[in-house]
Amino acid sequence: MKIIIVGAGIAGLSLAIALGQSGHQVTILDAAPQLAELGAGVQMTPQALRYLFRWGLKGDLLAESIIPENLHVWDGGSGKLLGHVRIKEMENQYGAPYIVVHRAVLHNILHRHAIKAGGELLLDSEVVEYDFANGAVQLRNGKRLTADLVVAADGINSLARSKLLGNKNPGSQPTGWAAFRMTAKVSKLKADPTTSSLVDLQSRSSNFWIAPQVSCMTYLIKDATLLNIVLTHRDDVDTRNLVADECRKIVRDLFKDFEPRVQRILDLSTPKIANYPVYSVPPLPSWAHESGRFVLMGDAAHAMAFYMSMGVSIAVEDAAALAAALDLACPLGSSFAFSNEADARRLKHALHVFETVRKPRAEAVQEASLHGGDSLHTSSEEERRLLYEALGHSHNDEIWPLENDTSNRGNSVQRCKSTGQRLGPGGITDKGTRDWCYNYDAIGAIEEYYKSSSAETLA
């Protein structure tokens, strides 16, 4: 099958790898004149790594990422340890590790493997128009490219989504949160007596300080030479026209009551600082065009808050799921022609399966991510008491509070509106939430639904 992928980000490159290894002819389009080193640290969860490892990226990823031993959660003001999550044990629990990696490093690895899998990358190729019915795109340079299928992985501000949905496109919406991001050199932190214990290069543990409405997350990246710092706060400050010193003044005011170790980390951070409002894409009416020749994926379809560290991982899940659906529609070694009615029906069915299976999953994780952020930063004294009690159990191999807990502890557990999945307090610190997020089998879900729905649909 001939497939065009619009967007050479993590979602698009992951899909190119999966499709290329299945023998599909893949062209990746990106508007940038060259691939640049953008972003800072990202965290990747086990269920996504299972697919990247399956595609042959294990050696490269493990060589250039970090597996923290623990995630320590502290009270922001007092510095008291509230609990910890044993991250290093997740490989045994979920079949792959939980890693932290610089976004540029991850992107470079994906790029290399996408090309290795046969993908053709065309840079300086901005798509300005879509012909959904005919599987075609129009580039700014005047070229028109056609394929059996066009997949748009063009990010949170997706042009493809706006063209597909028109006035039904909700666009990206503010979540109410924002985050200042900066880094600090580990050598400076290690040399300082206040922060030296936080950069244990043997355990490489991550640290997270929480308080009402603000938090500070830190983890090691770049072969443990940099500390990535993420400072969450309410999205009520417009920093677009502020210089770095003005942003730092805001940070100092927001975190003035945090313990000395956090203050010293801010003292020793590098000059570069940026504030990023956290946006999400609300559930869409559809991801695919009725023609069966176009579909959205990744942030274009379901951008989410980062409080479950699942945005990148869900994009990889999308890639694995869409590739599985297309492989079922057009198995390796078979021919495909959209002009053939049976082939066209199979492709339409594959997109139907992809959307039907993936939408509830993505929307559940979106809800869990925002719930995680809201619960960790709550100002309610009662909710914080229950959160802190839950954090005291976060290192245990048990779901707490128990499902049948009839005390007020049970009030700290909600249910996802779309799937009924558990939404415990504290995001990834809640084992029940981790279990349904990280044990998920994206390929298995596609295969099961494809087979159960194919007999009638493709008859």
Side-chain angles (χ1 to χ4, degrees):
M1 192 180 299
K2 185 178 179 181
I3 300 167
I4 290 173
I5 300 171
V6 181
I10 291 169
L13 292 175
S14 297
L15 180 62
I17 293 167
L19 292 175
Q21 291 184 358
S22 293
H24 299 285
Q25 182 183 340
V26 178
T27 301
I28 314 148
L29 306 176
D30 201 271
Q34 59 185 19
L35 297 182
E37 182 168 313
L38 299 173
V42 297
Q43 304 179 69
M44 294 200 68
T45 53
Q47 86 289 356
L49 287 186
R50 290 200 300 268
Y51 301 115
L52 294 176
F53 286 4
R54 182 184 299 189
W55 300 333
L57 281 67
K58 182 176 182 177
D60 288 346
L61 282 170
L62 293 184
E64 299 194 62
S65 64
I66 289 171
I67 303 174
E69 187 168 311
N70 294 294
L71 167 62
H72 298 294
V73 186
W74 312 86
D75 178 80
S78 69
K80 176 185 176 182
L81 182 64
L82 301 173
H84 67 277
V85 179
R86 297 183 292 191
I87 293 180
K88 201 161 190 177
E89 295 184 6
M90 289 187 186
E91 184 168 9
N92 291 331
Q93 295 169 342
Y94 304 116
Y98 183 114
I99 68 170
V100 294
V101 61
H102 195 285
R103 180 179 289 271
V105 170
L106 173 62
H107 193 262
N108 287 337
I109 292 171
L110 292 171
H111 175 217
R112 292 199 306 268
H113 282 265
I115 300 304
K116 181 180 177 182
E120 180 186 15
L121 175 60
L122 301 181
L123 296 173
D124 203 14
S125 299
E126 181 183 1
V127 175
V128 295
E129 196 58 68
Y130 289 84
D131 181 351
F132 298 117
N134 294 298
V137 296
Q138 185 77 30
L139 305 185
R140 185 169 295 281
N141 61 20
K143 291 183 180 178
R144 177 182 168 89
L145 303 177
T146 305
D148 298 309
L149 174 65
V150 174
V151 181
D154 56 341
I156 189 170
N157 296 314
S158 170
L159 171 68
R161 184 180 67 238
S162 66
K163 296 286 187 180
L164 176 68
L165 299 178
N167 59 13
K168 293 182 179 179
N169 174 30
S172 58
Q173 301 290 322
T175 62
W177 296 106
F180 284 97
R181 292 177 179 266
M182 57 183 80
T183 59
K185 291 183 178 179
V186 168
S187 58
K188 288 188 175 182
L189 297 167
K190 195 68 181 170
D192 190 283
T194 304
T195 56
S196 59
S197 64
L198 295 174
V199 284
D200 182 346
L201 300 184
Q202 183 172 356
S203 74
R204 300 186 170 190
S205 291
S206 303
N207 291 284
F208 187 34
W209 290 265
I210 61 173
Q213 306 303 314
V214 287
S215 67
C216 172
M217 178 73 184
T218 68
Y219 53 90
L220 295 167
I221 55 173
K222 286 274 187 174
D223 198 26
T225 61
L226 285 179
L227 186 74
N228 194 58
I229 307 164
V230 183
L231 305 168
T232 289
H233 60 98
R234 274 294 173 190
D235 183 19
D236 53 8
V237 182
D238 185 354
T239 60
R240 286 174 293 181
N241 297 316
L242 301 185
V243 298
D245 285 347
E246 292 171 314
C247 288
R248 286 184 173 279
K249 186 176 183 302
I250 294 171
V251 165
R252 283 300 190 182
D253 185 59
L254 286 169
F255 292 87
K256 64 182 183 296
D257 296 326
F258 271 52
E259 61 138 316
R261 293 180 298 176
V262 175
Q263 303 297 337
R264 196 63 184 138
I265 288 172
L266 299 179
D267 288 341
L268 297 174
S269 62
T270 57
K272 186 177 180 181
I273 180 173
N275 185 50
Y276 297 93
V278 181
Y279 286 82
S280 66
V281 172
L284 303 178
S286 178
W287 294 2
H289 189 262
E290 60 185 7
S291 67
R293 302 190 72 171
F294 173 85
V295 68
L296 297 165
M297 69 171 290
D299 279 354
H302 49 62
M304 62 188 66
F306 57 76
Y307 298 107
M308 283 293 297
S309 302
M310 286 280 283
V312 170
S313 295
I314 284 288
V316 175
E317 276 189 32
D318 277 358
L322 182 54
L326 296 176
D327 287 349
L328 288 165
C330 182
L332 183 64
S334 64
S335 59
F336 180 90
F338 203 87
S339 57
N340 182 297
E341 186 176 338
D343 287 351
R345 274 203 315 273
R346 281 199 299 273
L347 180 53
K348 288 180 183 180
H349 180 59
L351 296 193
H352 166 75
V353 169
F354 173 72
E355 181 176 319
T356 301
V357 171
R358 292 301 298 163
K359 273 180 100 294
R361 164 68 173 174
E363 289 164 13
V365 176
Q366 282 181 305
E367 189 175 343
S369 298
L370 194 54
H371 174 74
D374 289 343
S375 66
L376 286 163
H377 300 97
T378 181
S379 295
S380 162
E381 290 186 9
E382 176 63 14
E383 289 176 2
R384 291 205 79 76
R385 186 188 69 77
L386 291 171
L387 169 65
Y388 282 24
E389 192 173 355
L391 288 169
H393 294 261
S394 58
H395 66 285
N396 296 328
D397 189 21
E398 65 180 7
I399 295 175
W400 192 96
L402 299 174
E403 297 287 340
N404 60 355
D405 192 330
T406 57
S407 71
N408 64 342
R409 296 187 187 93
N411 297 330
S412 65
V413 178
Q414 297 181 22
R415 292 288 171 182
C416 177
K417 296 182 183 69
S418 58
T419 63
Q421 299 283 10
R422 173 194 174 92
L423 300 178
I428 68 167
T429 66
D430 176 65
K431 186 179 185 299
T433 306
R434 289 200 306 272
D435 283 353
W436 70 260
C437 281
Y438 303 166
N439 275 323
Y440 184 76
D441 181 3
I443 293 178
I446 289 289
E447 291 175 342
E448 180 180 357
Y449 187 76
Y450 190 99
K451 292 171 183 175
S452 67
S453 59
S454 291
E456 181 179 344
T457 304
L458 299 179

